[in-house]
Amino acid sequence: MGHDETDVAGAPAREVKLGQLLGLMSYVSPDRDPVAGRDAASGPGEGPQVESRPLYWCKTTNPFWTIPEVPYGTDVRVLMPEAPDFDRLWTLLTGSGISCRRVGYWVEDEIISTVGPDGRTGPLWATTTLTVPGARRATWRARTPGHTARDARDAFQMVWDAHGEAVQEHRPVHVPAAGLVPELWLDYLPFDTLNPAQVQAVPAVLNSDGHLVITAPTGAGKTVVGMLAVLRTILGEGRKAAWLVPQRSLTDELDRELESWRGKGLRVERLSGEHIIDLEKIRAADLWVATTEKFESICRTSSLQAALGEVGCLVVDEVHLLGSPGRGPLLEALLARVRGADSRVRIVGLSATVSNAEEIAGWLAGRLITTTWRPTRLTWQLPCVPAYRDHLNRRDRRKDDEVRTRAAVALTLRVTDAGGSVLVFCGSKHNVRTTALALAAARGVHTRDIKADSDDIDSIHKVCAKASIGLHYKGWEFRREAETRFRAHDFDILVATTTVAAGVNLPARAVVVRDTQVGLDKLDVATALQMFGRAGRVGAGELEGWAYLIADETEHAGWQRALVDGYTVGSRIHATLPDHVLAEVVQGNITSVEQAEHWWRRTLCQYQGDDDTEPVVEAVDFLTDHGYLTQTARPDGSVQVTVTDLGLVTARLMVGTEVGADIRDVLNELAVPSDPGTAEDILIRVVATLVPELAFAPVADNLRSAVSTVVEAGGRRDRMPRTITPRLGIADSVRPGDLAQAALMLAAHSPHSFTHGHRMVGGLPSSTIFPILDQAPRYFAWLAAQGHLAAIHPWIAIVAADIERRVRWRRLGPRRGAGRLLWMCEEMATPAETEEYVPVLWRSATGAGVTDPDWPGSRPPRYCRLGPEEYAGLLRARTTGCELTRKAGEVRADAVAGVLVTWTGRATASTVVNGGASVPFPSLSPGEPDDPGAGAAIFTKRGDYKALGWLDRYHGMAHWSSEDS
């Protein structure tokens, strides 16, 4: 068989309408050498891959494809689309004895071969095409040898093997659950039959006691396996169970799935950052459904240790996230605490398929159950687009976004035009909107007057819904509607960020991953595989799923290698090691440096070969140097470590120790402000720029001008222009922390802007700033708690306490000085009823003209949730009636129990007060001005405070001025 007007790579020179297949054509770069006979340079350590077989494997979207001359005995295989246009090619090739397989929605063109330009067998090589809208002909990239060719070969083999049998053979054989599950437990299960993956795992769950790691592809029904592990513990052993999931949204979904359990008498409690913790309900619960972070915070709560002791099973969903930079370290530290054959807590880890699952099971001292069964056959592909560069050789974001959007639209419509549904994953909210509008336009809906960055989200929602397209990202107020309509097949396209990837049950026929960048981070292979796992609508009776990841030419080979090799879990605990050492000390698991070294030997990091204990010793020293721990030499030569009060509050609020140290170091070097406005701006700026999740919150390009305007105005709406216009150059630049600073300044200085639920505040979408305002209060609360510890300057603690409550209760519109009254309302509402009763108590008080908690009398106010004795104890914890008297060289506090702190400039002195006591003013710190200012403050253990000087503006709202908005 010879070429039919082909170039040396085997591509036909004639013009082919590939657009009918994909809607894309390949791009011929004017400076690209089209000769494919030139081998690309191998990377470090890469040489030509030795391949013993003479082979010529081809993926094609060209119905006129022909095979070049190859040596006798060459293994020739062809993958082609399952489409009528290819019937002729199929007949021609199979009639010539060539092995061919047809794949639905096929879009890739690639050759993997050992046949060289001279027709002789040589080293393995591979080449693929670039695809881009509007190009006129297919052009092949230069041949690549070595590992890249090997990965291309293995990727081809995966598809070839998957399509070696008819899809009907994938229909699962379900087994009645009654044959494996105790009869009394059957009503707790969502189905009365078990699929093959569940049949394989259930005997180990029910008939053994040890730790388990169960790996299965996404969609294989691991939730039912987790349910049975929990039921065995609760109903079979009479103990509690905990079920950990990686995201808040998944606690909601799992909680809904377990709602029927409540009707059968089981007490299921959902624990996540969005829900107030009722300690009594937690203690009484049979099952806790929690994020890893919330469960760890429970572990650090001393009043819940007895309840924790009753936990007999820990189900860990997505246990492969041990390798995640964000969530992995905390999960590793938690599992290191309970792993081992002698543990009283059984770990049942549910995992996606990972390449080193046996290693994870070995670390836990558990058993590995692996299944490759999946309810649908999954085919993934990597459409390759050009990597555009500007004149400075930087990534051209505009062109890159354009080609990815057009590629995503073409791939999506290819599936939906055939009656399928598609999930399109994007790396940012902006890209979600851009792609959704492009899809709507491609479906004939008029979108020309609507911009992706528009504040008019109603119009965006309306035009996309008209085209049967839903949007989904955190803060999009129509996302629940989008979920419902997509499940009901009212929408056949859902464009989303990664919020949908990790377990939210929204399957589709196909998945399109538009971006390989998620926010500021590169997309990792674990997340990509989770996205792929959404492909395949089992409930609709479909047996196949398709996944596409759009990769540019610089990353195509890397992604092919990553997907072929699979995800390998590697420890990430080094990054936050001091945090986890502190947590173990707080919980009594580490009491000496030697025990810290022993704890290290229980970590996954050590199990994976890192035997060096020096980092953990350095972590202990770091915690000691920054006041979180103390070290004391014992008579036997060992070194005892003890947590300080600062360490306790840091662990309880889960503030990163390094972040906390940075904040304290910076604040302690600053001169004491002379007024509340300056103090608040300083504190906000420091927290916004030093807390990573606040500092690096992504800012959409269209919001940069608004962010700059808000920061320049200090968040005061009366100083901002009515219309914010874009600015050029450096004037419109946004630095790390500016978005968080803008959000916090708006909450602090324009509280009235938050009382009516507006979508825009100060020119910024509430969906953009609210996540920041939900995260930030924890850091201000941490600073405020240090007032009673005398661990930080009083101005910092008092200003932080006021800001923390004003930000947290921003919907009530509290102004400067409201912190103490809000504190009183929180205390009277009790933790379990805070969300419901604080607003009621606040409005009742402010409606009656009350501006602080210093009211007379001992009768509880209306709506107070405390009993008489509890309320009397709260009254004693106020600073009401406290007298701070300044005398020569000292300050005296009377009629109060707490900690009295005096200061001269940055220097402080303190003492415990129980009735009355005096503290002298400290001497000046070196390098301070002669008259830096002096003052005093009293802090009660329960959280109230009182101060002299300008800090008395935070005693209440009585002396309000326009500056105290």
Side-chain angles (χ1 to χ4, degrees):
M1 293 172 289
H3 295 279
D4 182 11
E5 296 183 41
T6 60
D7 65 18
V8 294
R14 74 179 67 180
E15 187 176 89
V16 179
K17 294 183 178 179
L18 294 179
Q20 294 177 354
L21 307 176
L22 174 61
L24 302 174
M25 288 294 290
S26 294
Y27 173 67
V28 184
S29 174
D31 58 356
R32 182 181 301 281
D33 185 349
V35 179
R38 183 188 69 238
D39 280 352
S42 298
E46 292 187 2
Q49 177 70 24
V50 176
E51 170 58 64
S52 59
R53 299 168 294 176
L55 58 82
Y56 188 92
W57 293 355
C58 169
K59 304 174 181 177
T60 185
T61 61
N62 181 1
F64 303 102
W65 183 256
T66 57
I67 306 297
E69 294 287 353
V70 295
Y72 178 77
T74 298
D75 179 2
V76 181
R77 306 181 190 181
V78 179
L79 289 170
M80 67 179 71
E82 187 176 337
D85 290 352
F86 286 80
D87 290 345
R88 173 184 168 277
L89 181 61
W90 170 270
T91 301
L92 178 65
L93 295 180
T94 55
S96 301
I98 294 175
S99 298
C100 301
R101 289 181 183 170
R102 305 177 75 167
V103 183
Y105 307 116
W106 188 255
V107 300
E108 284 190 329
D109 290 276
E110 190 170 40
I111 301 170
I112 306 100
S113 181
T114 56
V115 179
D118 56 1
R120 296 180 180 180
T121 301
L124 186 70
W125 57 269
T127 181
T128 188
T129 61
L130 292 176
T131 55
V132 67
R136 299 296 299 167
R137 63 185 290 259
T139 298
W140 294 82
R141 300 177 63 209
R143 294 178 178 178
T144 54
H147 289 304
T148 300
R150 180 206 65 188
D151 296 329
R153 176 200 61 194
D154 294 346
F156 185 104
Q157 187 74 57
M158 292 171 69
V159 179
W160 187 264
D161 291 344
H163 288 266
E165 59 183 12
V167 71
Q168 286 77 15
E169 297 178 33
H170 278 262
R171 291 190 180 275
V173 177
H174 286 73
V175 173
L180 293 170
V181 178
E183 182 179 357
L184 293 178
W185 302 359
L186 293 174
D187 286 345
Y188 292 89
L189 300 182
F191 308 106
D192 58 6
T193 61
L194 302 176
N195 67 36
Q198 294 160 350
V199 169
Q200 185 177 348
V202 165
V205 171
L206 298 183
N207 302 324
S208 66
D209 298 321
H211 303 315
L212 295 174
V213 173
I214 299 165
T215 68
T218 301
K222 294 188 289 291
T223 298
V224 169
V225 177
M227 287 179 173
L228 287 170
V230 167
L231 291 171
R232 180 184 189 271
T233 305
I234 298 173
L235 301 179
E237 301 173 1
R239 302 178 68 190
K240 297 182 185 293
W243 195 323
L244 307 188
V245 296
Q247 294 180 186
R248 292 180 185 178
S249 60
L250 300 186
T251 64
D252 296 339
E253 181 157 328
L254 185 56
D255 187 69
R256 287 194 295 269
E257 290 191 52
L258 299 176
E259 179 60 36
S260 64
W261 288 20
R262 295 187 176 95
K264 295 178 176 61
L266 292 189
R267 294 161 295 187
V268 180
E269 284 298 318
R270 171 182 49 185
L271 311 175
S272 73
E274 296 177 336
H275 300 278
I276 299 299
I277 292 178
D278 185 328
L279 296 182
E280 291 306 316
K281 286 186 177 180
I282 291 177
R283 292 188 184 100
D286 300 304
L287 172 63
W288 302 335
V289 176
T291 59
T292 305
E293 293 80 4
K294 182 59 70 172
F295 184 76
E296 177 64 12
S297 73
I298 295 295
C299 292
R300 300 180 187 188
T301 303
S302 58
S303 59
L304 291 173
Q305 295 308 298
L308 280 166
E310 298 177 38
V311 174
C313 180
L314 190 64
V315 176
V316 184
D317 229 335
E318 315 288 2
V319 72
H320 59 272
L321 291 179
L322 278 164
S324 164
R327 293 184 168 91
L330 184 62
L331 181 57
E332 179 178 346
L334 194 159
L335 294 181
R337 197 179 302 146
V338 295
R339 59 167 283 268
D342 57 346
S343 174
R344 294 186 67 253
V345 180
R346 185 192 201 190
I347 300 170
V348 177
L350 308 178
S351 173
T353 302
V354 296
S355 59
N356 63 333
E358 189 171 349
E359 182 180 46
I360 303 305
W363 170 59
L364 295 174
R367 176 182 171 189
L368 174 64
I369 307 293
T370 300
T371 180
T372 58
W373 180 84
R374 193 179 189 275
T376 57
R377 179 169 67 188
L378 175 65
T379 303
W380 57 261
Q381 299 177 62
L382 295 174
C384 184
V385 296
Y388 290 106
R389 294 290 183 268
D390 62 16
H391 66 286
L392 297 176
N393 200 35
R394 298 174 302 190
R395 183 174 75 91
D396 190 320
R397 290 177 55 187
R398 183 185 62 80
K399 288 185 176 179
D400 183 67
D401 285 344
E402 179 183 287
V403 73
R404 287 179 181 275
T405 298
R406 294 175 69 182
V409 168
L411 290 164
T412 300
L413 296 183
R414 180 174 173 79
V415 177
T416 58
D417 286 350
S421 58
V422 180
L423 265 170
V424 183
F425 286 106
C426 300
S428 68
K429 300 173 184 178
H430 171 78
N431 290 352
V432 167
R433 291 187 178 194
T434 298
T435 306
L437 288 171
L439 283 161
R443 286 186 159 181
V445 177
H446 181 75
T447 63
R448 187 173 301 173
D449 299 330
I450 301 175
K451 303 298 182 183
D453 299 328
S454 171
D455 298 335
D456 186 3
I457 65 173
D458 287 321
S459 294
I460 295 174
H461 170 65
K462 183 177 179 179
V463 299
C464 290
K466 187 176 181 180
S468 298
I469 298 166
L471 286 75
H472 195 292
Y473 58 77
K474 186 175 182 178
W476 179 253
E477 63 184 72
F478 304 106
R479 66 184 186 277
R480 299 300 178 217
E481 177 188 340
E483 288 181 17
T484 301
R485 297 181 72 174
F486 190 74
R487 286 193 181 101
H489 311 304
D490 186 23
F491 287 170
D492 60 351
I493 299 173
L494 185 65
V495 189
T497 55
T498 56
T499 53
V500 177
V504 177
N505 186 26
L506 291 171
R509 179 179 296 179
V511 164
V512 175
V513 182
R514 177 196 185 275
D515 300 316
T516 53
Q517 185 90 9
V518 180
L520 299 174
D521 302 318
K522 291 288 186 182
L523 177 68
D524 62 79
V525 66
T527 303
L529 290 171
Q530 282 184 324
M531 293 173 174
F532 286 6
R534 301 295 104 202
R537 297 192 308 173
V538 184
E542 298 185 7
L543 299 177
E544 288 196 86
W546 288 266
Y548 305 91
L549 187 149
I550 300 170
D552 73 34
E553 56 190 309
T554 66
E555 59 190 6
H556 182 271
W559 270 108
Q560 196 164 54
R561 177 174 303 171
L563 293 170
V564 166
D565 291 345
Y567 178 57
T568 301
V569 175
S571 172
R572 302 292 190 123
I573 201 168
H574 266 299
T576 51
L577 187 56
D579 297 356
H580 309 300
V581 172
L582 176 62
E584 298 305 313
V585 176
V586 168
Q587 295 173 67
N589 300 320
I590 293 176
T591 61
S592 67
V593 174
E594 292 74 18
Q595 283 187 340
E597 293 175 318
H598 176 73
W599 169 83
W600 174 255
R601 297 185 186 100
R602 296 179 59 86
T603 63
L604 175 62
C605 190
Q606 191 278 336
Y607 188 83
Q608 292 183 323
D610 189 345
D611 294 319
D612 184 8
T613 59
E614 186 61 27
V616 78
V617 175
E618 292 174 352
V620 173
D621 290 340
F622 168 84
L623 294 169
T624 303
D625 292 342
H626 290 277
Y628 301 112
L629 300 178
T630 60
Q631 296 186 45
T632 308
R634 292 170 171 169
D636 62 0
S638 63
V639 179
Q640 177 177 322
V641 293
T642 306
V643 66
T644 64
D645 289 336
L646 174 62
L648 283 170
V649 72
T650 302
R652 178 173 59 84
L653 292 175
M654 298 186 73
V655 170
T657 54
E658 293 188 11
V659 171
D662 289 343
I663 292 175
R664 283 169 48 84
D665 287 347
V666 169
L667 289 175
N668 286 335
E669 290 298 317
L670 297 177
V672 178
S674 57
D675 64 89
T678 302
E680 291 180 7
D681 288 348
I682 289 173
L683 213 52
I684 287 172
R685 188 177 303 115
V686 168
V687 171
T689 55
L690 292 182
V691 176
E693 61 258 45
L694 303 181
F696 298 107
V699 184
D701 289 342
N702 68 303
L703 296 180
R704 291 175 178 270
S705 293
V707 169
S708 299
T709 300
V710 172
V711 171
E712 289 172 5
R716 293 173 171 83
R717 293 290 302 276
D718 57 343
R719 300 181 186 178
M720 295 167 55
R722 289 183 177 273
T723 303
I724 298 173
T725 56
R727 294 174 289 181
L728 298 176
I730 192 68
D732 205 22
S733 64
V734 174
R735 300 162 298 180
D738 276 1
L739 178 59
Q741 196 173 331
L744 290 166
M745 284 180 166
L746 282 168
H749 303 318
S750 298
H752 53 280
S753 300
F754 294 86
T755 57
H756 299 295
H758 295 305
R759 290 171 175 167
M760 301 293 294
V761 180
L764 297 173
S766 58
S767 61
T768 297
I769 63 175
F770 276 26
I772 291 171
L773 297 177
D774 289 340
Q775 294 178 58
R778 174 162 52 107
Y779 296 93
F780 292 105
W782 173 72
L783 289 170
Q786 295 176 51
H788 183 260
L789 307 180
I792 206 162
H793 201 289
W795 82 263
I796 299 170
I798 290 176
V799 174
D802 203 64
I803 291 177
E804 185 263 329
R805 290 190 171 88
R806 284 154 57 194
V807 171
R808 194 196 317 169
W809 297 106
R810 57 191 176 276
R811 67 180 184 274
L812 302 178
R815 60 182 187 263
R816 182 177 295 153
R820 291 186 66 235
L821 181 57
L822 285 168
W823 163 79
M824 192 69 173
C825 291
E826 290 173 354
E827 295 293 311
M828 290 191 296
T830 73
E833 299 180 290
T834 296
E835 289 296 324
E836 180 180 357
Y837 278 95
V838 166
V840 173
L841 288 161
W842 167 266
R843 294 186 181 106
S844 177
T846 55
V850 176
T851 59
D852 57 48
D854 300 319
W855 52 75
S858 58
R859 183 177 178 181
R862 188 182 180 189
Y863 306 118
C864 176
R865 310 304 293 167
L866 300 177
E869 292 185 9
E870 294 172 310
Y871 181 70
L874 174 60
L875 294 181
R876 291 192 295 270
R878 299 179 301 174
T879 56
T880 305
C882 169
E883 295 290 338
L884 288 177
T885 308
R886 184 168 182 167
K887 300 180 180 179
E890 66 175 23
V891 171
R892 180 171 180 81
D894 288 296
V896 70
V899 173
L900 176 63
V901 184
T902 60
W903 70 86
T904 306
R906 293 196 303 267
T908 62
S910 63
T911 190
V912 175
V913 180
N914 192 9
S918 299
V919 178
F921 290 107
S923 302
L924 277 175
S925 299
E928 290 213 69
D930 292 337
D931 187 19
I938 186 78
F939 298 90
T940 70
K941 186 175 182 179
R942 198 156 174 172
D944 200 10
Y945 46 81
K946 185 175 185 177
L948 299 176
W950 60 265
L951 284 173
D952 70 357
R953 297 277 284 276
Y954 293 98
H955 199 63
M957 297 182 291
H959 306 292
W960 180 81
S961 70
S962 60
E963 291 296 313
D964 292 327
S965 60

